[in-house]
Amino acid sequence: MAKKYNNFRVGGSPHNVNEDYAVWTNDLLTRVIASKTVIQPGKGTHGHKLIDSDVVYVITNGRGTMEVIEYMNSDEGHGSDPSYGVEHKDSYELTSGDVVLVQSGDYCKVINDSDHDQLTYLRIFDRGGWRK
């Protein structure tokens, strides 16, 4: 059996762990990467700007907020350089079952709004945006 099928579940040892959240990543495919993030109650991710990658977020457990910033240095308002200013900034409520699409060039941060429950989501993105 091929290695990718032996590691189909995004699990095993976390790729990144800190007191706020943990990330498990499956990077065995050529074009697509899948990861799972678990955010502790009342905590959030550090946030990051997507470079060379659109991302699909699938909320699987919990509730929270996603902060998104679109930058102005392209016609569509999705640029990679924040020095050009903010085109649009917003936040969106998240709950289990939500699917959120975030475009390359945008900044996003996820916050767990619960005081008791973990927030879990899957991210599916193209390899161009992978940062180890």
Side-chain angles (χ1 to χ4, degrees):
M1 182 174 280
K3 185 176 179 184
K4 64 186 175 217
Y5 296 109
N6 291 334
N7 192 22
F8 183 75
R9 281 191 224 128
V10 180
S13 299
H15 166 74
N16 181 13
V17 180
N18 60 51
E19 64 184 31
D20 295 343
Y21 62 91
V23 179
W24 291 260
T25 302
N26 183 326
D27 63 349
L28 294 173
L29 296 177
T30 305
R31 296 183 195 142
V32 178
I33 294 178
S35 73
K36 176 177 81 173
T37 301
V38 177
I39 304 175
Q40 297 305 315
K43 304 293 185 176
T45 64
H46 297 292
H48 66 282
K49 188 167 18 94
L50 303 176
I51 305 294
D52 297 326
S53 183
D54 296 331
V55 179
V56 177
Y57 286 79
V58 181
I59 310 306
T60 59
N61 183 61
R63 62 184 174 81
T65 303
M66 178 180 280
E67 297 175 354
V68 177
I69 299 173
E70 298 174 52
Y71 296 107
M72 296 190 326
N73 59 317
S74 74
D75 294 337
E76 299 85 22
H78 299 278
S80 60
D81 186 349
S83 67
Y84 284 84
V86 173
E87 173 78 17
H88 179 78
K89 180 177 181 179
D90 212 336
S91 64
Y92 304 94
E93 290 184 18
L94 303 172
T95 190
S96 182
D98 286 351
V99 176
V100 181
L101 308 177
V102 180
Q103 191 169 4
S104 181
D106 293 349
Y107 167 91
C108 65
K109 177 178 181 172
V110 179
I111 301 156
N112 184 346
D113 293 336
S114 174
D115 293 330
H116 308 289
D117 299 320
Q118 294 176 328
L119 171 66
T120 304
Y121 61 85
L122 303 177
R123 287 186 315 146
I124 312 298
F125 54 100
D126 52 271
R127 188 168 283 278
W130 177 233
R131 296 176 299 194
K132 290 188 178 184

